[in-house]
Amino acid sequence: DTGVSQDPRHKITKRGQNVTFRCDPISEHNRLYWYRQTLGQGPEFLTYFQNEAQLEKSRLLSDRFSAERPKGSFSTLEIQRTEQGDSAMYLCASSLDAGVYEQYFGPGTRLTVT
Amino acid sequence: SQQGEEDPQALSIQEGENATMNCSYKTSINNLQWYRQNSGRGLVHLILIRSNEREKHSGRLRVTLDTSKKSSSLLITASRAADTASYFCATENTGFQKLVFGTGTRLLVSP
């Protein structure tokens, strides 16, 4: 148990619907990351936060995706107007800070868009 | 896009044997981390090795890093059926804060 929790664990939605995922990092961790993983591939970076500030966004994060970390604690990732290509495992990770600190991952949210 | 590749893509061994997985990457790094992932589940952190380190141990795991060759290896000694999983290397590249993952090695340990 890494201490990072994600909710929901599974989400099935119809194309065109909006979905929101939540991540609760390890409590003292300043850094929070979102990754996406498709079948048979390694995770790919989406975005990260230092406390409440979103410092980097991947080109994978289209304008349909938005992430927030309003109080520097939990984070949400919203996907608007979902497409079948959004089907993937969405992973959240946290670390104490940058540099030589490990990133600890949550169990992920598996999204299926039908 | 993926940073590099793990080799082999799949490895099948018997319990008690050693398993070696290799990882190659493309750019200069701050550190390299190895993770394990059981089917359909989250990633479990195994070892972090810094760019100025050459070798690190944790229990049955040994990681080496050769920055001149931009490569790392993970050795699991005396493997167990419970080691069956996918193993990923991930680099934190110089000047960036995110992890860039390889393509993974699927390890199967048979009893």
Side-chain angles (χ1 to χ4, degrees):
Chain A
D1 185 352
T2 63
V4 178
S5 61
Q6 293 186 245
D7 184 67
R9 296 290 303 277
H10 303 274
K11 179 71 177 178
I12 299 174
T13 191
K14 292 185 177 180
R15 188 178 54 178
Q17 298 294 306
N18 299 343
V19 294
T20 300
F21 310 140
R22 177 181 171 122
C23 169
D24 287 90
I26 294 171
S27 60
E28 64 268 25
H29 283 188
N30 296 323
R31 291 266 172 142
L32 186 148
Y33 307 79
W34 285 99
Y35 293 84
R36 180 171 71 186
Q37 185 179 26
T38 53
L39 198 62
Q41 299 295 313
E44 292 183 290
F45 170 79
L46 292 178
T47 189
Y48 85 92
F49 293 83
Q50 171 79 33
N51 299 313
E52 66 274 12
Q54 188 174 18
L55 297 185
E56 186 178 347
K57 293 195 291 185
S58 163
R59 285 170 290 180
L60 292 175
L61 215 64
S62 74
D63 57 5
R64 296 185 297 107
F65 288 71
S66 62
E68 294 183 341
R69 193 182 183 197
K71 297 182 180 179
S73 56
F74 73 92
S75 175
T76 58
L77 177 67
E78 181 183 16
I79 309 174
Q80 296 183 327
R81 305 181 303 280
T82 52
E83 302 172 356
Q84 288 188 318
D86 297 331
S87 294
M89 176 80 90
Y90 289 84
L91 295 162
C92 175
S94 70
S95 68
L96 191 60
D97 212 321
V100 296
Y101 297 101
E102 299 88 343
Q103 290 188 24
Y104 292 95
F105 281 77
T109 294
R110 181 167 297 284
L111 172 66
T112 302
V113 181
T114 61
Chain B
S1 62
Q2 310 289 171
Q3 158 73 298
E5 294 185 357
E6 276 99 327
D7 172 54
Q9 291 188 339
L11 180 60
S12 184
I13 60 174
Q14 299 289 317
E15 266 192 329
E17 294 180 339
N18 296 342
T20 299
M21 288 159 265
N22 302 297
C23 166
S24 61
Y25 58 92
K26 298 174 183 174
T27 61
S28 62
I29 61 172
N30 294 326
N31 64 69
L32 185 146
Q33 304 182 38
W34 282 91
Y35 289 85
R36 184 185 74 228
Q37 185 176 39
N38 292 89
S39 180
R41 306 185 73 172
L43 286 87
V44 174
H45 187 272
L46 298 176
I47 285 186
L48 179 152
I49 186 165
R50 299 170 185 168
S51 60
N52 61 354
E53 297 176 316
R54 292 297 168 257
E55 189 170 311
K56 208 160 182 181
H57 297 254
S58 176
R60 295 183 296 114
L61 307 180
R62 181 172 78 98
V63 167
T64 62
L65 178 64
D66 187 336
T67 53
S68 66
K69 295 181 179 178
K70 292 187 170 55
S71 67
S72 175
S73 68
L74 170 67
L75 169 66
I76 304 174
T77 59
S79 62
R80 306 166 181 167
D83 295 328
T84 294
S86 291
Y87 291 82
F88 293 93
C89 71
T91 55
E92 184 179 296
N93 299 341
T94 304
F96 296 91
Q97 311 301 326
K98 62 191 177 187
L99 288 178
V100 182
F101 283 81
T103 50
T105 292
R106 294 187 308 280
L107 175 66
L108 173 63
V109 182
S110 302

